[in-house]
Amino acid sequence: LSYLPNYIPRTVSSVGSGIDFGACQNQTADCLGKYVDQAWVGNTKLKEVGSKGEVVAGKFWVDRTVGVNRMYLAQSDVGKGNVQVSDKYWLFNITVPNVTIEGLQITRYSNTAQDSAVIKIGQAANNNVIRNIEVYDSAFQAIQYGGSSAINPNSILEKATIEGSNWMGVGAMYTDNFTIKSSKIGYMNVADEFTRSPQSGAL
């Protein structure tokens, strides 16, 4: 095995997006869904496992012991070079109306449930447009619309490709007149860390 020292893991400690992470709700038996660590060797995504003894080629484990903070990988993976680890939380938090986001490719964000999504469209961000974008490999959710109480009206998602999120592609809560056009949303839960109930999937 090899390890990356001084890796800072992130954990969802309680509740986010309606999921009780402390109780392992909406997660598979290993409860790894609450951890948003992501690692790649080149373009190959590695799978997180729950113990050091499970680390073989294609898998990694994070020692979260206070003061240790190490990510362990197989020596054969490290030997290939081009090891990448994500520590990006979220990109945009839109809170004002009439904003257009266009022409971007966004990859490998390790956002938690508390971060909500890579792109967050708040309840006051009326009449916003997201067009011609690609969002790949987010650890939790790619795009979220709406706040916690007020309605977000007239949002448009157009010509978007959203793939490879570990939980969901798009969350549309507290929205009205929300339109999706000519978009592809798929290949969710790629790490097999979440169950289908109470919620998961593309939208």
Side-chain angles (χ1 to χ4, degrees), residues 59-88:
K59 298 182 179 182
F60 72 94
W61 174 69
V62 175
D63 186 344
R64 292 176 169 77
T65 306
V66 176
V68 176
N69 294 336
R70 292 179 175 175
M71 176 182 283
Y72 286 86
L73 301 92
Q75 182 62 48
S76 59
D77 284 332
V78 175
K80 295 175 184 175
N82 196 18
V83 175
Q84 297 182 11
V85 176
S86 174
D87 63 354
K88 306 296 185 185

Side-chain angles (χ1 to χ4, degrees), residues 30-97:
D30 54 19
C31 295
L32 290 174
K34 64 184 175 182
Y35 303 124
V36 297
D37 314 292
Q38 297 192 95
W40 289 261
V41 175
N43 290 323
T44 301
K45 184 173 184 176
L46 306 184
K47 180 174 175 56
E48 186 168 15
V49 292
S51 68
K52 186 177 178 182
E54 296 175 74
V55 177
V56 294
K59 298 182 179 182
F60 72 94
W61 174 69
V62 175
D63 186 344
R64 292 176 169 77
T65 306
V66 176
V68 176
N69 294 336
R70 292 179 175 175
M71 176 182 283
Y72 286 86
L73 301 92
Q75 182 62 48
S76 59
D77 284 332
V78 175
K80 295 175 184 175
N82 196 18
V83 175
Q84 297 182 11
V85 176
S86 174
D87 63 354
K88 306 296 185 185
Y89 300 178
W90 48 267
L91 182 62
F92 294 120
N93 184 17
I94 309 300
T95 59
V96 296

